Amino acid sequence: MWRQLAPALRAMVFFTLLTGLIYPGVMTALCQALFPRQANGSLVKVRGRIVGSALIGQKFTQPQYFHPRPSASNYDASASAASNDGPTSEALVERVKAAIAQFRKDNPDYSGPIPSDLVTASASGLDPDISVASAEAQAARVAAARGVSVAQVRALIRQQVERPTLGFLGPPRVNVLALNLALDRRFPRP
Amino acid sequence: MTASGVFYVVIYFLVLLALTKPLGLYMANVFEGRRTFLTPVLRPLERLTYRACGVREDVEQRWTQYAASLIAFSLVGFLFVYAMQRLEGFLPLNPMGFGTAHAPANQTAMTPDLAFNTAVSFVTNTNWQAYGGETTLSYWVQMTALTVQNFVSAAAGIAVAIALVRGFARKQMRSIGNFWVDLTRGTLYVLLPLSFLLALFLCARGVPQTLAAYVKARTLEGRVQTIAVGPVASQEAPKLLGTNGGGFFNQNSAHPYENPTPLTNFVEILAILAIPAGLTYTFGKMVGDTRQGWTLFAAMSVLFFVGVFICTHAEQAGNPNLARLGVETRATAGQPGGNMEGKELRFGIPGSALFTVATTDASCGAVNSMLDSYTPLGGLIPMFNLQTDEVIFGGVGSGLYGILLYAILGVFIAGLMVGRTPEYLGKKIEQKEVKMAMIAVISTAFAILVFAAVTLDARFAAHGYWNPPGPAVANVQNGGPHGFSEVLYAFSSASENNGSAFAGLNANTPWYNLTLGLAMLLGRFLFMIPVLAIAGSLAAKKKIPETSGTLPTHGALFAGLLVGVVLVVGALTFFPALSLGPIVEYLLMLKGKLYSSLILTAWS
Amino acid sequence: MTTPVAAPPDDLTALIPRKTLRARPLFDRELTQRALKQSFVKLNPATLINNPVMFVVEVGAALITVYLARDAVRGAPGVGFEFQIALWLWFTVLFANFAEAMAEARGKAQADTLRKTKTDTLAKRVAADGTMERVPASQLRAGDVVLAEAGDTIPGDGEVMEGIATVDESVITGESAPVIRESGGDRSAVTGGTKVLSDAIKIRITSNPGETFLDRMIALVEGAERQKTPNEIALNILIAGMTLIFLLAVVTLQPFAVFAVHAAGTGAVPSVAVLAALLVCLIPTTIGGLLSAIGIAGMDRVMQHNVLAMSGKAVEASGDINTLLLDKTGTITLGDRQAVEFIPVEGVDPRELADAAQLASLADETPEGRSIVVLAKEKFQLRGREVSELEANFIPFSAYTRMSGVDLHERRLRKGATDAILKFVKEQGGSIPASLEEISERIARSGGTPLAVADGSRALGIIHLKDIVKGGMKERLAQLRAMGIRSVMITGDNPLTAAAIAQEAGVDDFLAQATPKDKLEYIRREQAEGRLVAMTGDGTNDAPALAQADVGVAMNTGTMAAKEAGNMVDLDSNPTKLIEVVAIGKQLLITRGALTTFSIMNDVSKYFAIIPAMFAATYPELSALNIMRLHSPQSAVLAAVIFNALIIIALVPLALRGVKYKPQSAAGMLRRNLWIYGLGGLIAPFPCIWMIDRILGLLHLA
């Protein structure tokens, strides 16, 4: 084995250069040139100021905004995390129970079933989307807070719905940041 | 399972099937040194590689030399990764200052045990993450240590598989190829071009590729959000193609920057299984009978579908404990239903379950949803996939040599029933092959069961180095049988070089870093070395011509036999353990029994 | 023309006791008693360690016995259950021992009979000066010369130097018909322990005491020299490996259970007795217990076919044979050519030809001669006249004239090789009909042998002699082909003749005008292509080929050189036996594979019995897995253990007889055996364990 160490060392140096520096370097240059927006994180600017990333969820607690899914990382995009609560975990059941209670309290007008994504923590802690049902369940609250009709808010939701890609990839969903930005544009806060 | 879920899986499988032959044929050409359409571009680079490494392309190695090269290369790789991590504070491309005085407050310290664990993890193609990427590692380390291993540890796995295939294909030869040549070809001709394409695609769909520092945003509600970015796309591509699985970010392919859309998700799942599936065709091509390769493919497909069906079904059925609280578990037009805890909405149930099954069918270990939060049966599937040595397409290379070991064992037992001493592809399966196959199977079973048992038994004193005081098992997050599953899964994942986790377990302590690291080493090298020994032994044998008295190793009967052997060996070894983990948890969940994790800390 | 073998005198056969040994029933009383005793002797751990599976069972049994003693002294509860587990684990070991002992017992019984014939033979040793002294046979060395006369037992293996004698070899062959032994040629070998029936022979002894054929045969049948065959060793590694895996699974289950009890907050960790019971149920005890019995029984089955295999390896290899070299004469054909047609030359009545041919053959006792008489009778109702009634002078066949015949009054009838007859007719002043040679050539081309007939100066015609392929040979060769075995006919005939017979018999290939060197080269060539070759042989010149072949079956009538070179000896000297030997080899391998598969598949049911029982108190929910609805945890564990022990005994007959074997393609065979032993092994234990559980309940044992 010791006789193989020399080629091993040389190979390691060579491949480090090739796949560790040249390859990512070339990719960076190429991606920055071809897809500058995506390569830098699909950042969203409002009036020249970065308000977040189109792909990364952020925390919303105010009633006039749609709220995202619960996050184990509290939407800290520098430290993604999940709850890791198991299916027979008391903590999970307590947390979901509390989330449902909170949701019912915040949205007294909504009496339908609780969508499965609305009270469960996402895998990344940064899920940017909620389901259409979860958005609609909040429509009455947002409309009230913004002083507009529920129908207007619903129409906006419908505009923002992303259909499954190619008709079968992923459930229909709404990007919370995009929806809230649209809200701000259409129905500026009083 | 919903109709769209079935559709998802079927479309996925058809695309995989379509990729298998062209990719497999291409790889056969590459490893047999024939000209391919990339030869004009890559041949000069290949020659340069041999010159740089001081390797003679035309000199072949016996299995012992081949193994020695593999071990030497892995050892050097380990030292490189270890050193890079420990020295990251002194190295460039570290805009966040990890390992220095002005690191972010949430930095995970790069301790010696964590560096050991991570180095072993990447060199063994496990890519278990005891750290969070965005809180621990500089861009330099991500690129020059982890991305490099994403290529070469995968190429080493392919090399070993190719060496074994040569063992079957050759007759009365002492050599099984040259490790350095196979490593180089696997990297240059297979992984690099595919990674290039995949990285471009991923970036186009939103995966960042930048060397700039993390972005500070002020959210609509006025909070400050620090958004971690980096050279993600270039690492993400080989992470999947090489069935590595070590993500740039802590939450791996669940992170929107690693896997931003439903389409990237679909492509990533494809990237995991494409090369392993292609290798079945490469195998058939190289042994001169493509039916042999398709038979392995068929056996794998059966196991694949069974796993996907059970997992997707269990996840779509959801958690009755939550249903009781009023959560909708049925899929409706407006919401996905099922168990969405620890899943990303954009992937939905089918896209999450398929990813999970694929990543554990292979030795990938990338995850796009949190296995710890899966329902018991949904979590049973990935765990069982690991424990059957990841042979459903499997890791790049490791899946092929794993299923070939099972084929050897199957041929040995069932082959006797046709009234001949067993033979596979014209090679007599004798003492040495059986012994080596058993060593490989036993070593992974040993690593899983013994390390898990010792950990369940371990107690630590106050102020110790190894672990917080109390039982080692107190590091689990969930109580009841699920806590046991977390430990069992951790050692299954490490021993099988997968890297996925029931991530509630706090595994970043010296005890877990060491034992999991050792499990990875056992699982990698006590599997690969016996495989190479078999390759050497087979290559030296005569090839017995096929007659009607020969056990046919192609066709439905043999595929069925292979499925049976994989299931039976796995089930018999792990049924007792699984019955105390996911199986009983499933029964308890149906009864509404809940567990608190507090009970464990009181146990000493 | 073959040399006629003198038919044995009828009165002698009555003197020889017929052997009954090989016809013993499977569970002979005497054998069973012997085996029962051996089952206990084999409990000795020093010998049992060679069988890792059973050794683990014994350790488990001993461990529980120790715990049992401790608990009994302390008066702890559950002693009755522990006692039953211990008892059944000991039974498990005993049953496995019994299976092996049973297989060995048959050989031992046979060895005893052989040994009796060895005792106290007095040899008549002839010194260099011609004087004779009587010495015990055990003092004879190689090179000594002894005299054996009618009634003497031949004192040792040797070569006949002088004389010819009929010898009773039934002690070795079990065949009562005496055989001829004479000096020179391929029938000169005699074996110690056989008996001279008539005449006297001088023998040069060729082996030292303790090394004789009989000694070796005793050692072989007794199993003293038994070595594990390569496949058996590999299988042993596999089951030892599986034992290790299950050991890991069960040993680690203890800490897992400790955690489970803690997590559930109730129940108890399974006792050592239950863990040991689980381990014993899981490890492949069925195949582990029966593996050596299968091997021994395989050798024994070969022996029952009167073939002496020098090693188990040879029997195993015979299952793998790809190419079978068969001698034409005596194997594929009846060994003697038969007259099938009389073809007169123009102007001769067929009846006249037949009549002349019959007369010329009346004194010819060779099968060919007799077949001519018979054919004439069948075709032309010519009655075979009584030889003594005719005042005839018979001319025997000689290698010089190459013809035989009869002088009857003035007629000089001759039959023989065509050119010899032509010469004879010319000498008698006759002319040669044009068609004679033409007919003769036509017959030769078709693979037959022409035999010309002349009446003095008149050539009458040709008798067509033909090699008759043995009845059913074509079907057997087709079966071989289905099994993937290629048959190759070896013959001294010219390629033309050989091709015709090869086609008629349905062999795949032939080797014409084969010299011993050709044979050897043919074998080497086949082996170079990875094939395994089997052949039979008897002459000294066959020895190199026999040694080269993977399976070489020497005829017992053959020379010592041939017997030494082969790895099997066919005591009946029947070359067709090779096909049976191949079948036995295959059956041996199938039995191993079938029982291994069965043993492994059995484990599934045992998990369903034991796992819910083990954790009944900790996780009562696991009773969902108790699909057999076993009535109590203790009963479930016991039932599984009892089933595990009884299945060994139940399968002993299968192990000893071998599984049913029917020649068919590998795929068909695999499918059939997978159904029976794979699926059967999965399903069968469920009702059995259920039934044992009911019985235990009825008897209030658990």
Side-chain angles (χ1 to χ4, degrees):
Chain A
M1 195 187 104
W2 305 115
R3 239 180 322 153
Q4 303 292 334
L5 277 178
L9 199 65
R10 293 167 70 167
M12 204 59 232
V13 171
F14 179 84
F15 283 117
T16 302
L17 284 173
L18 180 69
T19 61
L21 288 171
I22 297 173
Y23 157 77
V26 167
M27 290 319 300
T28 307
L30 213 55
C31 291
Q32 288 288 341
L34 292 173
F35 321 110
R37 186 177 60 83
Q38 294 93 320
N40 290 306
S42 310
L43 301 173
V44 180
K45 291 182 183 173
V46 175
R47 286 183 295 273
R49 219 177 42 139
I50 299 171
V51 297
S53 162
L55 298 176
I56 302 286
Q58 54 182 252
K59 198 168 174 178
F60 289 97
T61 52
Q62 297 168 3
Q64 74 271 25
Y65 283 123
F66 283 92
H67 298 175
R69 300 179 61 193
S71 162
S73 72
N74 203 24
Y75 287 97
D76 178 353
S78 70
S80 55
S83 76
N84 289 314
D85 283 330
T88 54
S89 155
E90 210 169 62
L92 170 74
V93 172
E94 292 307 318
R95 175 165 55 77
V96 171
K97 208 184 270 175
I100 292 173
Q102 182 68 44
F103 184 80
R104 296 276 186 213
K105 201 175 122 220
D106 292 345
N107 300 277
D109 299 327
Y110 181 74
S111 59
I114 302 290
S116 65
D117 63 308
L118 185 61
V119 289
T120 50
S122 66
S124 61
L126 301 170
D127 195 337
D129 303 315
I130 52 175
S131 66
V132 179
S134 293
E136 283 178 345
Q138 301 180 49
R141 183 198 75 224
V142 173
R146 300 230 168 213
V148 296
S149 77
V150 178
Q152 282 174 300
V153 174
R154 281 183 190 239
L156 193 68
I157 292 173
R158 270 197 297 281
Q159 279 175 21
Q160 290 291 324
V161 169
E162 287 180 71
R163 308 299 318 167
T165 315
L166 306 175
F168 72 101
L169 293 171
R173 63 197 194 281
V174 182
N175 184 302
V176 181
L177 179 59
L179 178 59
N180 285 338
L181 282 170
L183 269 179
D184 278 355
R185 274 196 304 275
R186 278 285 293 280
F187 315 114
R189 265 177 290 176
Chain B
M1 232 172 139
T2 57
S4 69
V6 174
F7 192 67
Y8 196 116
V9 177
V10 170
I11 295 290
Y12 173 80
F13 181 77
L14 291 178
V15 177
L16 186 69
L17 182 65
L19 284 177
T20 297
K21 185 175 168 180
L23 195 55
L25 189 62
Y26 172 73
M27 287 191 284
N29 288 335
V30 165
F31 288 104
E32 292 191 326
R34 283 191 292 268
R35 199 180 160 79
T36 65
F37 70 99
L38 284 178
T39 304
V41 187
L42 292 174
R43 181 67 192 162
L45 188 56
E46 189 189 350
R47 282 220 196 85
L48 176 69
T49 311
Y50 300 140
R51 242 201 336 273
C53 304
V55 172
R56 293 250 330 257
E57 188 184 359
D58 50 347
V59 177
E60 292 222 326
Q61 296 173 315
R62 300 171 68 158
W63 82 264
T64 43
Q65 296 164 312
Y66 201 100
S69 300
L70 167 75
I71 294 169
F73 185 67
S74 303
L75 180 67
V76 172
F78 165 79
L79 294 174
F80 261 60
V81 179
Y82 184 85
M84 299 276 198
Q85 292 178 96
R86 297 283 290 152
L87 299 175
E88 69 173 341
F90 305 99
L91 292 166
L93 291 179
N94 188 7
M96 301 315 291
F98 290 116
T100 68
H102 34 87
N106 62 3
Q107 170 188 235
T108 308
M110 184 46 74
T111 55
D113 57 284
L114 177 59
F116 162 82
N117 181 282
T118 308
V120 167
S121 175
F122 276 77
V123 168
T124 56
N125 197 249
T126 310
N127 307 31
W128 168 268
Q129 290 172 277
Y131 61 93
E134 69 268 43
T135 57
T136 318
L137 300 177
S138 71
Y139 296 165
W140 175 272
V141 177
Q142 296 265 23
M143 283 160 54
T144 63
L146 306 193
T147 306
V148 172
Q149 287 300 327
N150 278 353
F151 281 100
V152 294
S153 72
I158 301 179
V160 170
I162 294 294
L164 179 61
V165 175
R166 287 200 191 104
F168 282 108
R170 295 182 167 185
K171 46 188 169 185
Q172 291 171 294
M173 277 178 77
R174 314 193 83 173
S175 63
I176 54 171
N178 182 319
F179 173 75
W180 306 111
V181 173
D182 291 339
L183 176 78
T184 303
R185 290 190 179 153
T187 307
L188 297 189
Y189 286 88
V190 181
L191 293 168
L192 209 49
L194 286 172
S195 295
F196 178 83
L197 294 178
L198 183 59
L200 271 186
F201 167 78
L202 289 175
C203 186
R205 311 307 303 175
V207 177
Q209 179 70 24
T210 172
L211 298 176
Y214 295 176
V215 179
K216 274 212 170 16
R218 185 165 286 270
T219 67
L220 291 191
E221 289 193 352
R223 296 183 184 85
V224 174
Q225 189 182 35
T226 305
I227 302 173
V229 289
V232 185
S234 63
Q235 183 180 340
E236 189 71 12
K239 167 191 120 178
L240 299 158
L241 288 164
T243 60
N244 291 283
F248 194 94
F249 300 104
N250 188 40
Q251 291 310 95
N252 210 295
S253 282
H255 197 291
Y257 275 165
E258 288 200 25
N259 194 0
T261 70
L263 183 63
T264 59
N265 188 53
F266 185 82
V267 173
E268 288 193 6
I269 308 174
L270 262 183
I272 293 172
L273 292 186
I275 293 177
L279 279 171
T280 60
Y281 189 86
T282 309
F283 161 73
K285 188 78 193 162
M286 284 178 72
V287 300
D289 181 1
T290 49
R291 292 174 310 174
Q292 302 287 348
W294 285 120
T295 302
L296 298 187
F297 184 95
M300 292 167 164
S301 302
V302 170
L303 291 165
F304 167 82
F305 276 114
V306 171
V308 172
F309 179 78
I310 295 176
C311 186
T312 310
H313 181 80
E315 291 312 299
Q316 189 65 63
N319 183 346
N321 288 324
L322 300 190
R324 264 189 286 276
L325 301 177
V327 176
E328 180 69 86
T329 51
R330 252 175 336 107
T332 60
Q335 57 90 46
N339 172 27
M340 284 302 288
E341 177 70 20
K343 291 191 183 63
E344 297 285 290
L345 182 68
R346 63 191 176 282
F347 309 143
I349 301 285
S352 299
L354 180 60
F355 196 111
T356 293
V357 174
T359 198
T360 51
D361 280 346
S363 72
C364 183
V367 287
N368 76 347
S369 47
M370 292 300 113
L371 306 187
D372 215 350
S373 299
Y374 268 48
T375 62
L377 294 187
L380 172 69
I381 295 301
M383 181 133 54
F384 190 66
N385 278 343
L386 304 185
Q387 290 165 348
T388 50
D389 297 329
E390 297 157 346
V391 291
I392 309 168
F393 302 107
V396 288
S398 64
L400 181 62
Y401 63 67
I403 196 85
L404 286 173
L405 280 198
Y406 275 105
I408 285 173
L409 290 178
V411 159
F412 183 77
I413 297 168
L416 282 172
M417 287 197 287
V418 306
R420 293 174 64 87
T421 59
E423 63 203 44
Y424 186 37
L425 300 168
K427 300 287 189 174
K428 279 257 172 270
I429 304 302
E430 292 165 305
Q431 261 181 66
K432 180 155 187 193
E433 289 76 28
V434 172
K435 195 193 291 168
M436 290 299 153
M438 285 316 281
I439 288 177
V441 172
I442 291 171
S443 63
T444 50
F446 174 90
I448 294 170
L449 290 171
V450 172
F451 280 118
V454 170
T455 296
L456 284 173
D457 211 35
R459 307 276 189 287
F460 296 94
H463 315 299
Y465 166 71
W466 291 104
N467 210 49
V473 74
N475 292 27
V476 303
Q477 177 176 327
N478 290 282
H482 200 81
F484 174 67
S485 297
E486 285 182 2
V487 174
L488 184 65
Y489 195 96
F491 287 101
S492 301
S493 176
S495 306
E496 301 290 350
N497 300 151
N498 186 275
S500 62
F502 273 29
L505 178 73
N506 168 24
N508 186 16
T509 69
W511 169 261
Y512 281 98
N513 277 330
L514 176 73
T515 50
L516 289 166
L518 291 176
M520 294 177 214
L521 289 172
L522 278 181
R524 174 85 162 177
F525 295 105
L526 276 188
F527 209 96
M528 275 186 162
I529 294 170
V531 164
L532 287 173
I534 292 174
S537 165
L538 291 176
K541 288 182 196 221
K542 289 179 187 168
K543 212 167 169 72
I544 301 159
E546 195 181 328
T547 69
S548 61
T550 314
L551 170 77
T553 52
H554 55 83
L557 185 64
F558 189 74
L561 176 69
L562 204 49
V563 169
V565 172
V566 171
L567 290 179
V568 166
V569 171
L572 291 184
T573 312
F574 293 101
F575 187 81
L578 291 172
S579 68
L580 293 180
I583 294 175
V584 77
E585 194 193 6
Y586 171 72
L587 298 166
L588 291 163
M589 179 183 78
L590 294 182
K591 296 219 161 142
K593 190 116 171 75
L594 297 178
Y595 290 90
S596 143
S597 57
L598 295 174
I599 194 166
L600 290 165
T601 45
W603 180 34
S604 55
Chain C
M1 296 288 130
T2 46
T3 321
V5 179
D10 281 328
D11 54 342
L12 283 177
T13 53
L15 298 175
I16 302 159
R18 286 206 73 86
K19 295 194 60 166
T20 53
L21 190 77
R22 291 186 177 98
R24 273 182 199 275
L26 196 59
F27 287 103
D28 178 86
R29 196 188 157 87
E30 188 195 324
L31 297 187
T32 312
Q33 276 171 358
R34 194 196 284 248
L36 278 176
K37 203 177 129 222
Q38 279 297 312
S39 313
F40 287 90
V41 176
K42 283 168 181 284
L43 284 177
N44 182 358
T47 52
L48 203 62
I49 196 151
N50 292 323
N51 183 342
V53 182
M54 279 305 141
F55 185 73
V56 169
V57 180
E58 186 170 42
V59 169
L63 196 65
I64 300 178
T65 310
V66 171
Y67 273 82
L68 173 66
R70 190 199 65 181
D71 290 350
V73 171
R74 287 187 189 164
V79 172
F81 172 69
E82 235 174 19
F83 171 76
Q84 291 186 66
I85 295 278
L87 190 70
W88 281 102
L89 293 201
W90 284 115
F91 275 148
T92 309
V93 187
L94 286 173
F95 289 169
N97 287 348
F98 175 76
E100 189 181 84
M102 203 56 210
E104 286 171 352
R106 301 169 72 82
K108 287 229 167 72
Q110 208 164 345
D112 286 351
T113 319
L114 288 172
R115 216 176 258 121
K116 276 178 203 145
T117 67
K118 257 190 71 171
T119 49
D120 298 334
T121 310
L122 269 187
K124 298 168 184 165
R125 186 162 68 187
V126 184
D129 56 5
T131 54
M132 200 168 71
E133 54 176 336
R134 284 178 181 269
V135 294
S138 57
Q139 287 178 15
L140 290 175
R141 320 291 307 177
D144 286 351
V145 176
V146 296
L147 178 71
E149 293 165 305
D152 286 350
T153 299
I154 295 175
D157 297 354
E159 296 275 335
V160 179
M161 296 169 65
E162 259 178 62
I164 177 166
T166 49
V167 178
D168 166 22
E169 294 193 340
S170 62
V171 63
I172 295 177
T173 62
E175 183 56 57
S176 55
V179 293
I180 302 287
R181 293 293 177 218
E182 61 187 340
S183 61
D186 287 348
R187 293 165 192 274
S188 61
V190 288
T191 310
T194 57
K195 208 168 178 180
V196 177
L197 293 178
S198 71
D199 306 292
I201 41 177
K202 249 191 199 170
I203 302 159
R204 179 184 288 114
I205 298 295
T206 50
S207 57
N208 289 322
E211 297 165 8
T212 64
F213 190 68
L214 199 61
D215 288 321
R216 267 170 41 214
M217 186 160 167
I218 290 169
L220 276 171
V221 295
E222 216 172 18
E225 281 181 12
R226 201 181 108 74
Q227 286 177 328
K228 284 184 178 151
T229 60
N231 175 261
E232 205 177 340
I233 295 171
L235 192 52
N236 245 319
I237 291 171
L238 181 92
I239 60 180
M242 298 206 56
T243 305
L244 195 58
I245 288 178
F246 287 125
L247 195 62
L248 285 173
V250 172
V251 169
T252 56
L253 190 54
Q254 205 269 345
F256 294 172
V258 171
F259 176 89
V261 169
H262 187 83
T266 162
V269 176
S271 68
V272 172
V274 172
L275 285 171
L278 176 63
L279 176 62
V280 169
C281 284
L282 294 180
I283 61 177
T285 46
T286 313
I287 183 66
L290 296 174
L291 184 56
S292 65
I294 295 169
I296 299 168
M299 294 265 296
D300 190 52
R301 268 200 305 284
V302 173
M303 197 99 65
Q304 285 169 48
H305 279 80
N306 251 348
V307 174
L308 202 57
M310 297 298 168
S311 69
K313 197 176 161 181
V315 179
E316 199 174 278
S318 55
D320 277 354
I321 291 306
N322 300 89
T323 306
L324 210 51
L325 300 192
L326 298 168
D327 273 322
K328 182 200 79 178
T329 309
T331 309
I332 292 171
T333 63
L334 284 172
D336 309 302
R337 280 163 283 202
Q338 308 265 311
V340 290
E341 200 182 356
F342 297 111
I343 308 168
V345 294
E346 64 279 350
V348 176
D349 182 35
R351 197 184 167 86
E352 188 189 355
L353 171 63
D355 184 57
Q358 192 185 46
L359 282 170
S361 306
L362 280 180
D364 186 350
E365 284 295 340
T366 63
E368 285 95 335
R370 279 195 294 257
S371 78
I372 293 170
V373 176
V374 170
L375 185 73
K377 191 158 122 191
E378 277 172 2
K379 284 218 161 157
F380 301 102
Q381 286 75 45
L382 294 170
R383 222 174 46 80
R385 282 138 285 195
E386 198 47 55
V387 180
S388 54
E389 286 172 15
L390 305 163
E391 289 168 29
N393 179 27
F394 291 103
I395 316 292
F397 177 83
S398 86
Y400 176 69
T401 59
R402 292 191 295 138
M403 51 187 191
S404 62
V406 64
D407 289 347
L408 197 61
H409 310 296
E410 293 310 307
R411 292 173 75 185
R412 305 186 72 189
L413 301 170
R414 292 291 183 277
K415 70 175 202 295
T418 310
D419 51 344
I421 294 293
L422 290 180
K423 202 172 145 219
F424 171 78
V425 170
K426 276 187 197 151
E427 277 167 14
Q428 301 292 318
S431 61
I432 313 297
S435 59
L436 191 74
E437 278 185 282
E438 184 194 309
I439 297 167
S440 166
E441 253 170 48
R442 201 179 67 224
I443 290 170
R445 261 203 307 280
S446 74
T449 306
L451 205 58
V453 180
D455 186 352
S457 59
R458 277 177 68 216
L460 299 177
I462 302 277
I463 308 169
H464 182 175
L465 291 177
K466 202 175 159 190
D467 262 326
I468 302 294
V469 173
K470 280 185 180 172
M473 185 45 76
K474 201 163 184 160
E475 289 71 28
R476 300 200 72 174
L477 292 176
Q479 278 182 355
L480 285 177
R481 202 168 303 116
M483 285 151 60
I485 299 173
R486 235 161 50 89
S487 50
V488 179
M489 184 180 81
I490 307 286
T491 173
D493 292 343
N494 63 54
L496 221 58
T497 313
I501 297 168
Q503 201 194 350
E504 194 183 337
V507 294
D508 298 295
D509 194 6
F510 63 87
L511 193 60
Q513 288 168 339
T515 63
K517 198 166 154 252
D518 293 339
K519 273 198 213 182
L520 188 62
E521 269 167 14
Y522 193 92
I523 294 173
R524 289 214 173 114
R525 208 161 50 237
E526 288 286 298
Q527 287 173 337
E529 284 167 36
R531 298 196 179 91
L532 266 71
V533 184
M535 70 165 286
T536 58
D538 52 6
T540 304
N541 55 18
D542 281 336
L546 277 172
Q548 180 70 36
D550 300 283
V551 175
V553 182
M555 299 294 105
N556 190 46
T557 51
T559 58
M560 265 300 158
K563 284 202 247 181
E564 296 281 346
N567 43 18
M568 289 192 201
V569 176
D570 179 14
L571 301 172
D572 294 344
S573 304
N574 169 9
T576 327
K577 202 76 81 55
L578 204 46
I579 299 174
E580 265 95 22
V581 172
V582 167
I584 292 170
K586 286 196 178 293
Q587 197 190 22
L588 170 77
L589 294 170
I590 295 172
T591 308
R592 269 187 206 149
L595 290 186
T596 307
T597 309
F598 189 83
S599 189
I600 294 170
M601 293 311 278
N602 269 200
D603 283 357
V604 175
S605 62
K606 293 167 192 165
Y607 270 138
F608 279 98
I610 296 182
I611 292 290
M614 267 182 148
F615 299 102
T618 312
Y619 289 133
E621 291 78 9
L622 276 177
S623 67
L625 297 180
N626 181 11
I627 53 177
M628 287 173 273
R629 298 281 142 227
L630 306 179
H631 73 270
S632 79
Q634 296 197 335
S635 166
V637 175
L638 255 179
V641 170
I642 292 172
F643 170 78
N644 191 56
L646 291 182
I647 194 74
I648 297 178
I649 281 295
L651 291 175
V652 167
L654 188 71
L656 296 188
R657 284 205 191 102
V659 305
K660 242 197 203 126
Y661 170 70
K662 194 170 91 204
Q664 64 184 126
S665 75
M669 206 140 40
L670 180 66
R671 185 171 296 114
R672 178 173 173 272
N673 288 326
L674 271 181
W675 277 113
I676 300 176
Y677 299 99
L679 196 66
L682 181 70
I683 294 171
F686 284 96
C688 295
I689 292 176
W690 179 83
M691 200 130 64
I692 295 169
D693 171 75
R694 291 296 114 145
I695 293 168
L696 287 172
L698 286 176
L699 299 177
H700 300 287
L701 286 172

